[in-house]
Amino acid sequence: MNALHEVGTRRPATVEEAVRTLAESGAQALAGGTDLLPNLRRGLGTPRVLVDLTAVPALDAIAVQADGSLRIGAAATLAALAADAAVRTGWPVLAKAAGLVAGPTHREAATIGGNLCQDTRCVFYNQSEWWRAGNGYCLKYLGDKCHVVVKSDRCYATYHGDLAPALMVLDASVEIAGPAGARTLPVAGLFVEDGARRLTLAPGEWVTGVVAPPAGGWMADYAKARVRESVDFALAGAAVALRRDGDRIGALRVAITGTNSAPLVVPADSVVGRSWDAETAQVLTKLVHTTSHVLATTVASVGYRRRMAQALVRRLVDDLWTRA
Ligand SMILES: Cc1cc2nc3c(=O)[nH]c(=O)nc-3n(C[C@H](O)[C@H](O)[C@H](O)COP(=O)(O)OP(=O)(O)OC[C@H]3O[C@@H](n4cnc5c(N)ncnc54)[C@H](O)[C@@H]3O)c2cc1C
Ligand code: SF4
């Protein structure tokens, strides 16, 4: 089966036209195509029409707004984001996370909207049609059972996006357009921890942009563990934003990816006000451990990914604490 043979493409000229087209039955958003097209080639999905959002004029704009916040249009490429002078100076964690996605050729096409909304992944899902058919498919698509958590009533495929945790620790928002009008959500509100449902977008809704507030004394960083440094998805990834107040942690935000079916905020309030020492590091590591729910959805072992999530957070805080 090759769904691409049966798919039409539409290139909307306005946000409203994109909303109308996406509300049609069988329509799906297309941006850089670096996640969606490989999946369609494997028979994962049968959209009737792909709505090329990169055709909407000026959707790729990256601009510092009058209030000092940063607005990134959904079709801005990750290469543009990584290279943008204002982003590198004011929100370097975003430039870094964008520069760590896939390889250089992917980043020329891949967009921030597509990065946020990318599909979840699993060793039983990202396979050819004949492989999946031979294994009776699975709950995420066409089947009725999960091979990772047998007797599960939901899919545990993993979210591996790099930009979401970086945006989450910046307290950024996503702008959404849809048939009921425009709305804004904290980035964490875009996701649902279910590998098949993935996003909280209603039919016809799509992400038009993201807005990050001014850095305001926060220092932030992102790191990921992957098989090959040049191209791979995060086996575990972490973003940390820290405000140091003398010898105390003044404020701390932590988010993880590559561990669960959604990028998640680690509740770190209990370490705020403490000094960054071995005891505090142990408390934070425990919080990461409790938040992450790693399952056998990739080729790397569960134990390795779980330990890497904890180690990455610890290393990032170590480094930010020293630099602050
Ligand atoms: C070899 C390889 C390595 C990769 N490595 C990484 C990696 O290290 N880190 C990482 O994060 N990703 C990785 N990816 C996945 C992908 O390349 C990136 O996530 C990329 O940013 C996706 O953006 P895109 O514009 O190409 O999205 P597309 O493929 O066009 O779309 C992805 C999904 O988002 C939806 N979508 C797109 N734009 C919007 C929008 N504005 N609103 C609502 N829905 C939308 C589409 O319908 C689709 O479901 C990799 C992919 C490959 C093939
Ligand atoms: S976690 Fe289960 S249902 Fe989800 S893709 Fe993997 S095997 Fe399928």
Side-chain angles (χ1 to χ4, degrees), residues 113-134:
N115 190 268
L116 286 173
C117 299
Q118 67 181 270
D119 201 357
T120 51
R121 302 180 64 80
C122 173
V123 278
F124 294 97
Y125 175 70
N126 299 97
Q127 299 287 353
S128 65
E129 164 67 20
W130 67 262
W131 192 98
R132 286 179 294 112

Side-chain angles (χ1 to χ4, degrees), residues 58-65 69-88 91 94-95 98 110-112 208-210:
L59 199 69
D60 60 351
I62 301 174
V64 179
Q65 307 190 107
S69 62
L70 174 74
R71 185 179 187 281
I72 308 164
T77 66
L78 300 182
L81 193 58
D84 188 277
V87 177
R88 291 172 73 91
W91 297 266
L94 293 183
T111 65
I112 188 162
T208 51
V210 303

Side-chain angles (χ1 to χ4, degrees), residues 178-266:
R183 64 187 177 111
T184 302
L185 276 180
V187 170
L190 179 63
F191 301 97
V192 53
E193 222 209 323
D194 177 321
R197 280 173 55 215
R198 310 192 283 119
L199 302 170
T200 56
L201 296 176
E205 282 193 325
W206 59 285
V207 172
T208 51
V210 303
V211 176
W218 290 89
M219 290 183 70
D221 204 354
Y222 176 74
K224 68 194 272 192
R226 50 184 167 173
V227 176
R228 296 163 295 180
E229 279 306 313
S230 55
V231 71
D232 281 317
F233 287 91
L235 297 171
V240 171
L242 174 85
R243 258 200 336 234
R244 184 169 173 171
D245 184 6
D247 64 351
R248 305 273 151 209
I249 297 172
L252 183 68
R253 297 191 196 119
V254 178
I256 51 175
T257 188
T259 56
N260 294 55
S261 294
L264 292 180
V265 170
V266 176

Side-chain angles (χ1 to χ4, degrees), residues 25-310:
S25 136
Q28 184 167 6
L30 170 71
T34 61
D35 181 54
L36 180 59
L37 297 184
N39 278 351
L40 293 183
R41 282 193 204 104
R42 288 178 163 156
L44 294 166
T46 51
R48 194 180 54 76
V49 61
L50 294 179
V51 184
D52 181 358
L53 299 175
T54 66
V56 177
L59 199 69
D60 60 351
I62 301 174
V64 179
Q65 307 190 107
D67 64 356
S69 62
L70 174 74
R71 185 179 187 281
I72 308 164
T77 66
L78 300 182
L81 193 58
D84 188 277
V87 177
R88 291 172 73 91
T89 308
W91 297 266
V93 62
L94 293 183
K96 182 168 178 191
L100 288 176
V101 173
T105 47
H106 293 96
R107 295 194 291 272
E108 290 295 332
T111 65
I112 188 162
N115 190 268
L116 286 173
C117 299
Q118 67 181 270
D119 201 357
T120 51
R121 302 180 64 80
C122 173
V123 278
F124 294 97
Y125 175 70
N126 299 97
Q127 299 287 353
S128 65
E129 164 67 20
W130 67 262
W131 192 98
R132 286 179 294 112
N135 287 279
Y137 298 104
C138 76
L139 206 53
K140 181 161 161 70
Y141 190 60
L142 298 179
D144 58 7
K145 57 178 181 285
C146 174
H147 305 294
V148 171
V149 182
V150 182
K151 294 192 180 156
S152 168
D153 57 355
R154 72 116 159 145
C155 165
Y156 286 86
T158 308
Y159 181 83
H160 294 271
D162 290 302
L163 268 296
L167 288 163
M168 283 154 80
V169 299
L170 293 177
D171 199 24
S173 319
V174 280
E175 296 176 346
I176 294 166
R183 64 187 177 111
T184 302
L185 276 180
V187 170
L190 179 63
F191 301 97
V192 53
E193 222 209 323
D194 177 321
R197 280 173 55 215
R198 310 192 283 119
L199 302 170
T200 56
L201 296 176
E205 282 193 325
W206 59 285
V207 172
T208 51
V210 303
V211 176
W218 290 89
M219 290 183 70
D221 204 354
Y222 176 74
K224 68 194 272 192
R226 50 184 167 173
V227 176
R228 296 163 295 180
E229 279 306 313
S230 55
V231 71
D232 281 317
F233 287 91
L235 297 171
V240 171
L242 174 85
R243 258 200 336 234
R244 184 169 173 171
D245 184 6
D247 64 351
R248 305 273 151 209
I249 297 172
L252 183 68
R253 297 191 196 119
V254 178
I256 51 175
T257 188
T259 56
N260 294 55
S261 294
L264 292 180
V265 170
V266 176
D269 285 353
S270 58
V271 300
V272 173
R274 299 172 69 136
S275 188
W276 179 244
D277 52 23
E279 201 184 315
T280 307
Q282 210 167 4
V283 174
L284 187 58
T285 301
K286 182 91 191 295
L287 291 167
V288 177
H289 174 78
T290 312
T291 307
S292 64
H293 185 47
V294 181
L295 290 164
T297 53
T298 76
V299 288
S301 81
V302 167
Y304 173 78
R305 287 165 58 208
R306 195 182 286 143
R307 284 195 302 276
M308 278 315 293
Q310 296 164 24

